[in-house]
Amino acid sequence: MNPRIHDWQGKRIWIIGASTGIGAETARLLLQRGARVALSARNESALQQLAAPFSAACVAPLDITDAASVSAVHARLMQQWQGIDLVLVVAGAYNEMRADSFDLDAANRILDINIRGVYHCLDVVLPELLRQQSGGIGIVGSVAGLSGLPKALAYGPSKAAVINLCESLFLDLRPKNIAVYMINPGFVDTPLTANNDFAMPALMTAPQAASAIVQGMERGDFHIHFPHRFTNWLRLARLLPYRSYFYLVHKVTGL
């Protein structure tokens, strides 16, 4: 559904959320394949450590919840690169939340990063992509956005919004030769999932997730989801009547 990518050499890629986990490993993989990568996140020291072995890495710290911070980094990159070939918004927040432990402040923090932060990025990158009539944008959601899951009272709805957003972006941007990648991981071993106290089926490592993302973009996939043995099950299970779906979710997660 998107153009295939045959060569990363020299591609100008901005990864927002590159300090740890999926973002860091995706940045490392693309740098190894010859791309020029701007590394953004709040943790500048982690970005510097990631960038150290790569001359093509550019450290550009920001806070995705601060629109002015995102805009300033974008202006710097445009001055340096005169264009951007791919933007990957990987930054995300997660914490467990159930109805009996609802926390409005925590919910707003999740929404600030997972939704409002994405819009801060779109505000600066969409005009440039439309001007270029080329390039692409990828946003990391989650299979938790496909349907309701236990302990995801704030996280799940934020990722459901990302899924809806990516679908709308694709309809608007694909006719203009701009790629859109909707990236929905299953469980990945990262700092975000480290404190989960429930079974995580088909848990992947961050390097495995990065490889799946890069391969999906190379194939031109719109919906990049992994691992398939878990994500396809969840997508199919969602077609069941609610009674059966809730029963299966309970059996798989134990929650």
Side-chain angles (χ1 to χ4, degrees), residues 89-191:
V89 185
V90 189
Y94 165 79
N95 68 279
E96 296 179 1
M97 189 181 299
R98 302 195 82 156
D100 59 2
S101 59
F102 180 74
D103 183 329
L104 181 59
D105 289 338
N108 277 327
R109 284 194 296 273
I110 290 173
L111 295 175
D112 281 341
I113 294 174
N114 293 359
I115 295 297
R116 296 184 187 99
V118 173
Y119 279 106
H120 292 161
C121 299
L122 292 179
D123 184 51
V124 296
V125 302
L126 282 178
E128 181 59 29
L129 292 173
L130 288 166
R131 185 193 66 79
Q132 293 175 176
Q133 294 282 289
S134 66
I137 181 166
I139 305 174
V140 173
S142 168
V143 293
L146 295 173
S147 57
L149 292 172
K151 296 191 175 184
L153 204 62
Y155 179 75
S158 75
K159 294 304 185 179
V162 166
I163 290 171
N164 188 291
L165 172 60
C166 287
E167 292 170 345
S168 297
L169 282 171
F170 181 86
L171 293 170
D172 284 351
L173 297 181
R174 184 65 193 96
K176 300 180 184 298
N177 198 42
I178 299 168
V180 177
Y181 307 99
M182 181 174 73
I183 303 165
N184 286 324
F187 292 110
V188 180
D189 187 9
T190 71

Side-chain angles (χ1 to χ4, degrees), residues 33-45:
R33 298 194 180 190
R36 291 181 283 173
V37 182
L39 309 170
S40 289
R42 288 179 294 183
N43 190 337
E44 183 173 359
S45 62

Side-chain angles (χ1 to χ4, degrees), residues 11 13 31 34-39 51 53-59 80-81:
K11 295 281 189 186
I13 302 173
L31 284 162
R36 291 181 283 173
V37 182
L39 309 170
F54 303 102
S55 61
C58 167
V59 173
Q80 181 176 337
W81 285 348

